[in-house]
């Protein structure tokens, strides 16, 4: 099922990912966060984590989970980004967000997160969007704060020793919960592409 496309989205289309998308989605997510290819963008985690960000089973689990959607974002029929939405009571969880490194920095991420918020609100009637971000990612957290998210100070441990989530290069990694009220004024966030602004 296609979701609505933001009016100023430079021909972006949003659709639910399927099993046939899994290899391309894994490649996209890995390229945005791990290894040398991720350094072409600003969302890289290569300086704090090695190893994988996800794998095919992890992506399939998101696609197949109840009350979960993995949105594939395409431009001209080509996969350029993705994000996960999961219904959790009065909130939706936003995760597995990746934008192709060479396309980061031009405002694409802002359009995608705004559409994700609109989709969660319209589909589930939720009041809040939640996400977790590695707490040392100050630049990324600041980007989300500019999108209206607030830090909660609620921390959960990084799964040290579980290489499905990567191999940490430092010993101080935790996840922090970020929250945004999406009940009102969602549409004002969909205002086109701003050159030079993160993801």
């Amino acid at each position: 099922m296609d979701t609505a496309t933001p009016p100023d989205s430079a021909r972006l289309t949003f659709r639910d990912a399927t099993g046939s998308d899994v290899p391309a989605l894994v490649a996209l997510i890995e390229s945005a966060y791990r290894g040398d290819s991720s350094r072409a963008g600003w969302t890289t985690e290569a300086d704090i984590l090695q190893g994988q960000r996800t794998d095919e089973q992890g992506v399939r689990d998101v696609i197949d989970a109840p009350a979960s959607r993995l949105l594939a974002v395409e431009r001209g029929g080509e996969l350029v980004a993705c994000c996960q939405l999961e219904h959790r009571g009065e909130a939706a969880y936003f995760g597995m967000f990746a934008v192709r490194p060479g396309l980061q920095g031009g405002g694409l991420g802002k359009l995608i997160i705004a559409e994700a918020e609109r989709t969660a609100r319209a589909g589930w009637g939720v009041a809040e969007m939640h996400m977790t971000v590695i707490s040392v990612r100050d630049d990324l957290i600041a980007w989300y704060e500019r999108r209206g998210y607030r830090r909660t100070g609620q921390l959960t441990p990084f799964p040290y020793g579980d290489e499905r989530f990567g191999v940490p290069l430092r010993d101080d990694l935790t996840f922090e919960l970020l929250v945004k009220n999406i009940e009102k004024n969602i549409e004002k966030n969909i205002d086109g592409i701003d050159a030079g602004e993160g993801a």
Side-chain angles (χ1 to χ4, degrees):
M1 179 177 86
D2 287 348
T3 68
T5 302
D8 297 319
S9 59
R11 301 171 303 282
L12 294 179
T13 58
F14 296 76
R15 63 174 177 81
D16 288 311
T18 66
S20 63
D21 296 310
V22 168
L25 288 165
V26 171
L28 169 67
I29 294 163
E30 293 297 304
S31 73
Y33 290 98
R34 301 291 164 81
D36 288 338
S37 65
S38 68
R39 297 182 191 280
W42 68 275
T43 61
T44 181
E45 295 172 343
D47 293 329
I48 60 173
L49 290 159
Q50 293 179 340
Q52 69 178 32
R53 180 60 142 68
T54 190
D55 54 26
E56 291 197 1
Q57 188 58 53
V59 173
R60 282 195 190 92
D61 289 347
V62 171
I63 292 173
D64 295 340
S68 175
R69 300 176 68 181
L70 184 55
L71 299 182
V73 184
E74 297 177 328
R75 188 166 63 186
E78 188 175 6
L79 181 69
V80 296
C82 67
C83 65
Q84 169 195 9
L85 290 171
E86 183 179 330
H87 190 194
R88 298 183 178 179
E90 294 299 311
Y93 177 79
F94 178 80
M96 209 168 273
F97 184 29
V99 175
R100 184 182 297 174
L103 299 177
Q104 293 176 18
L108 193 61
K110 180 171 74 169
L111 292 175
I112 293 165
I113 197 169
E115 173 63 5
E117 292 165 0
R118 189 206 64 78
T119 298
R121 178 65 179 152
W124 296 321
V126 294
E128 292 185 336
M129 187 80 92
H130 292 185
M131 69 174 72
T132 55
V133 179
I134 296 175
S135 60
V136 299
R137 295 295 315 277
D138 294 332
D139 53 349
L140 186 58
I141 290 172
W143 186 86
Y144 284 122
E145 287 179 317
R146 293 194 296 275
R147 308 277 78 76
Y149 288 80
R150 61 179 178 82
R151 302 182 77 154
T152 65
Q154 296 181 40
L155 303 178
T156 54
F158 186 88
Y160 283 90
D162 189 342
E163 293 191 2
R164 292 177 302 164
F165 300 96
V167 179
L169 300 178
R170 47 193 293 178
D171 62 5
D172 61 346
L173 301 183
T174 59
F175 293 107
E176 182 170 0
L177 176 67
L178 274 59
V179 173
K180 179 179 179 178
N181 184 322
I182 61 170
E183 282 188 295
K184 300 177 182 178
N185 301 321
I186 291 176
E187 293 303 322
K188 75 177 185 180
N189 291 327
I190 303 177
D191 57 3
I193 293 177
D194 287 345
E197 182 169 14

mmCIF file of all heavy atoms in Angstrom, residues 84-104:
data_model
loop_
_atom_site.group_PDB
_atom_site.id
_atom_site.type_symbol
_atom_site.label_atom_id
_atom_site.label_comp_id
_atom_site.label_asym_id
_atom_site.label_seq_id
_atom_site.Cartn_x
_atom_site.Cartn_y
_atom_site.Cartn_z
ATOM 1 N N GLN A 84 11.594 2.699 9.619
ATOM 2 C CA GLN A 84 10.685 1.792 10.307
ATOM 3 C C GLN A 84 9.687 2.586 11.133
ATOM 4 O O GLN A 84 10.032 3.580 11.782
ATOM 5 C CB GLN A 84 11.496 0.887 11.248
ATOM 6 C CG GLN A 84 10.663 0.070 12.224
ATOM 7 C CD GLN A 84 11.489 -0.509 13.359
ATOM 8 O OE1 GLN A 84 12.664 -0.162 13.515
ATOM 9 N NE2 GLN A 84 10.900 -1.373 14.154
ATOM 10 N N LEU A 85 8.440 2.148 11.118
ATOM 11 C CA LEU A 85 7.414 2.657 12.009
ATOM 12 C C LEU A 85 6.794 1.470 12.739
ATOM 13 O O LEU A 85 6.454 0.467 12.101
ATOM 14 C CB LEU A 85 6.317 3.403 11.239
ATOM 15 C CG LEU A 85 6.702 4.736 10.614
ATOM 16 C CD1 LEU A 85 5.577 5.239 9.719
ATOM 17 C CD2 LEU A 85 7.042 5.757 11.674
ATOM 18 N N GLU A 86 6.647 1.584 14.052
ATOM 19 C CA GLU A 86 6.032 0.513 14.831
ATOM 20 C C GLU A 86 5.039 1.120 15.808
ATOM 21 O O GLU A 86 5.355 2.076 16.519
ATOM 22 C CB GLU A 86 7.105 -0.265 15.597
ATOM 23 C CG GLU A 86 6.540 -1.444 16.375
ATOM 24 C CD GLU A 86 7.627 -2.218 17.114
ATOM 25 O OE1 GLU A 86 8.781 -2.247 16.633
ATOM 26 O OE2 GLU A 86 7.320 -2.772 18.181
ATOM 27 N N HIS A 87 3.835 0.579 15.816
ATOM 28 C CA HIS A 87 2.783 1.081 16.697
ATOM 29 C C HIS A 87 2.993 0.529 18.099
ATOM 30 O O HIS A 87 2.992 -0.688 18.291
ATOM 31 C CB HIS A 87 1.420 0.648 16.149
ATOM 32 C CG HIS A 87 0.266 1.296 16.829
ATOM 33 N ND1 HIS A 87 -1.022 0.853 16.683
ATOM 34 C CD2 HIS A 87 0.199 2.365 17.670
ATOM 35 C CE1 HIS A 87 -1.836 1.618 17.393
ATOM 36 N NE2 HIS A 87 -1.120 2.538 18.002
ATOM 37 N N ARG A 88 3.169 1.426 19.059
ATOM 38 C CA ARG A 88 3.371 1.039 20.454
ATOM 39 C C ARG A 88 2.412 1.830 21.337
ATOM 40 O O ARG A 88 2.784 2.825 21.959
ATOM 41 C CB ARG A 88 4.823 1.289 20.887
ATOM 42 C CG ARG A 88 5.852 0.475 20.105
ATOM 43 C CD ARG A 88 7.261 0.726 20.626
ATOM 44 N NE ARG A 88 8.246 -0.080 19.902
ATOM 45 C CZ ARG A 88 9.566 -0.044 20.143
ATOM 46 N NH1 ARG A 88 10.037 0.760 21.104
ATOM 47 N NH2 ARG A 88 10.399 -0.786 19.443
ATOM 48 N N GLY A 89 1.162 1.406 21.374
ATOM 49 C CA GLY A 89 0.167 2.067 22.209
ATOM 50 C C GLY A 89 -0.131 3.476 21.738
ATOM 51 O O GLY A 89 -0.558 3.685 20.601
ATOM 52 N N GLU A 90 0.111 4.461 22.607
ATOM 53 C CA GLU A 90 -0.170 5.856 22.268
ATOM 54 C C GLU A 90 0.950 6.503 21.459
ATOM 55 O O GLU A 90 0.862 7.673 21.120
ATOM 56 C CB GLU A 90 -0.384 6.669 23.559
ATOM 57 C CG GLU A 90 -1.634 6.269 24.330
ATOM 58 C CD GLU A 90 -2.894 6.483 23.516
ATOM 59 O OE1 GLU A 90 -3.058 7.575 22.953
ATOM 60 O OE2 GLU A 90 -3.715 5.542 23.435
ATOM 61 N N ALA A 91 1.990 5.740 21.181
ATOM 62 C CA ALA A 91 3.134 6.281 20.448
ATOM 63 C C ALA A 91 3.486 5.377 19.271
ATOM 64 O O ALA A 91 3.071 4.221 19.196
ATOM 65 C CB ALA A 91 4.346 6.409 21.375
ATOM 66 N N ALA A 92 4.239 5.942 18.350
ATOM 67 C CA ALA A 92 4.857 5.161 17.284
ATOM 68 C C ALA A 92 6.363 5.220 17.490
ATOM 69 O O ALA A 92 6.899 6.249 17.929
ATOM 70 C CB ALA A 92 4.494 5.717 15.914
ATOM 71 N N TYR A 93 7.025 4.121 17.191
ATOM 72 C CA TYR A 93 8.484 4.083 17.269
ATOM 73 C C TYR A 93 9.045 4.268 15.864
ATOM 74 O O TYR A 93 8.585 3.640 14.907
ATOM 75 C CB TYR A 93 8.958 2.756 17.851
ATOM 76 C CG TYR A 93 10.470 2.640 17.893
ATOM 77 C CD1 TYR A 93 11.195 3.265 18.902
ATOM 78 C CD2 TYR A 93 11.161 1.940 16.912
ATOM 79 C CE1 TYR A 93 12.582 3.192 18.930
ATOM 80 C CE2 TYR A 93 12.546 1.849 16.941
ATOM 81 C CZ TYR A 93 13.245 2.479 17.951
ATOM 82 O OH TYR A 93 14.613 2.400 17.967
ATOM 83 N N PHE A 94 10.058 5.130 15.747
ATOM 84 C CA PHE A 94 10.711 5.443 14.476
ATOM 85 C C PHE A 94 12.125 4.892 14.531
ATOM 86 O O PHE A 94 12.882 5.205 15.455
ATOM 87 C CB PHE A 94 10.736 6.963 14.295
ATOM 88 C CG PHE A 94 11.426 7.447 13.054
ATOM 89 C CD1 PHE A 94 10.780 7.434 11.831
ATOM 90 C CD2 PHE A 94 12.724 7.938 13.107
ATOM 91 C CE1 PHE A 94 11.410 7.900 10.684
ATOM 92 C CE2 PHE A 94 13.365 8.401 11.974
ATOM 93 C CZ PHE A 94 12.707 8.386 10.754
ATOM 94 N N GLY A 95 12.487 4.059 13.587
ATOM 95 C CA GLY A 95 13.825 3.483 13.589
ATOM 96 C C GLY A 95 14.264 3.062 12.202
ATOM 97 O O GLY A 95 13.605 3.340 11.202
ATOM 98 N N MET A 96 15.395 2.379 12.150
ATOM 99 C CA MET A 96 15.966 1.865 10.910
ATOM 100 C C MET A 96 15.952 2.926 9.806
ATOM 101 O O MET A 96 15.668 2.657 8.642
ATOM 102 C CB MET A 96 15.243 0.598 10.468
ATOM 103 C CG MET A 96 16.128 -0.354 9.674
ATOM 104 S SD MET A 96 15.417 -2.006 9.441
ATOM 105 C CE MET A 96 15.975 -2.837 10.928
ATOM 106 N N PHE A 97 16.287 4.155 10.191
ATOM 107 C CA PHE A 97 16.246 5.296 9.275
ATOM 108 C C PHE A 97 17.578 5.393 8.550
ATOM 109 O O PHE A 97 18.629 5.508 9.184
ATOM 110 C CB PHE A 97 15.978 6.570 10.086
ATOM 111 C CG PHE A 97 15.811 7.828 9.281
ATOM 112 C CD1 PHE A 97 15.323 7.811 7.991
ATOM 113 C CD2 PHE A 97 16.122 9.047 9.855
ATOM 114 C CE1 PHE A 97 15.150 8.984 7.278
ATOM 115 C CE2 PHE A 97 15.959 10.233 9.158
ATOM 116 C CZ PHE A 97 15.470 10.204 7.864
ATOM 117 N N ALA A 98 17.537 5.354 7.243
ATOM 118 C CA ALA A 98 18.768 5.451 6.452
ATOM 119 C C ALA A 98 18.495 6.228 5.176
ATOM 120 O O ALA A 98 17.478 6.024 4.524
ATOM 121 C CB ALA A 98 19.297 4.061 6.109
ATOM 122 N N VAL A 99 19.420 7.116 4.852
ATOM 123 C CA VAL A 99 19.418 7.859 3.589
ATOM 124 C C VAL A 99 20.738 7.577 2.890
ATOM 125 O O VAL A 99 21.788 7.570 3.540
ATOM 126 C CB VAL A 99 19.262 9.384 3.827
ATOM 127 C CG1 VAL A 99 19.386 10.158 2.521
ATOM 128 C CG2 VAL A 99 17.932 9.681 4.511
ATOM 129 N N ARG A 100 20.684 7.312 1.614
ATOM 130 C CA ARG A 100 21.907 7.028 0.865
ATOM 131 C C ARG A 100 22.945 8.124 1.122
ATOM 132 O O ARG A 100 22.639 9.319 1.036
ATOM 133 C CB ARG A 100 21.599 6.943 -0.627
ATOM 134 C CG ARG A 100 22.792 6.556 -1.462
ATOM 135 C CD ARG A 100 22.460 6.533 -2.934
ATOM 136 N NE ARG A 100 21.451 5.544 -3.240
ATOM 137 C CZ ARG A 100 20.900 5.399 -4.450
ATOM 138 N NH1 ARG A 100 21.244 6.215 -5.433
ATOM 139 N NH2 ARG A 100 20.005 4.465 -4.656
ATOM 140 N N PRO A 101 24.188 7.747 1.476
ATOM 141 C CA PRO A 101 25.184 8.746 1.886
ATOM 142 C C PRO A 101 25.375 9.890 0.907
ATOM 143 O O PRO A 101 25.468 11.047 1.326
ATOM 144 C CB PRO A 101 26.459 7.911 2.038
ATOM 145 C CG PRO A 101 25.976 6.557 2.409
ATOM 146 C CD PRO A 101 24.695 6.374 1.651
ATOM 147 N N GLY A 102 25.417 9.624 -0.380
ATOM 148 C CA GLY A 102 25.647 10.682 -1.353
ATOM 149 C C GLY A 102 24.504 11.669 -1.470
ATOM 150 O O GLY A 102 24.668 12.740 -2.070
ATOM 151 N N LEU A 103 23.357 11.330 -0.888
ATOM 152 C CA LEU A 103 22.190 12.217 -0.935
ATOM 153 C C LEU A 103 21.947 12.921 0.394
ATOM 154 O O LEU A 103 21.004 13.700 0.507
ATOM 155 C CB LEU A 103 20.941 11.418 -1.332
ATOM 156 C CG LEU A 103 20.986 10.757 -2.703
ATOM 157 C CD1 LEU A 103 19.718 9.934 -2.939
ATOM 158 C CD2 LEU A 103 21.160 11.794 -3.798
ATOM 159 N N GLN A 104 22.766 12.654 1.383
ATOM 160 C CA GLN A 104 22.596 13.310 2.673
ATOM 161 C C GLN A 104 23.058 14.763 2.600
ATOM 162 O O GLN A 104 23.915 15.108 1.805
ATOM 163 C CB GLN A 104 23.395 12.564 3.747
ATOM 164 C CG GLN A 104 22.861 11.168 4.026
ATOM 165 C CD GLN A 104 23.713 10.416 5.025
ATOM 166 O OE1 GLN A 104 24.504 11.002 5.754
ATOM 167 N NE2 GLN A 104 23.554 9.097 5.060
#
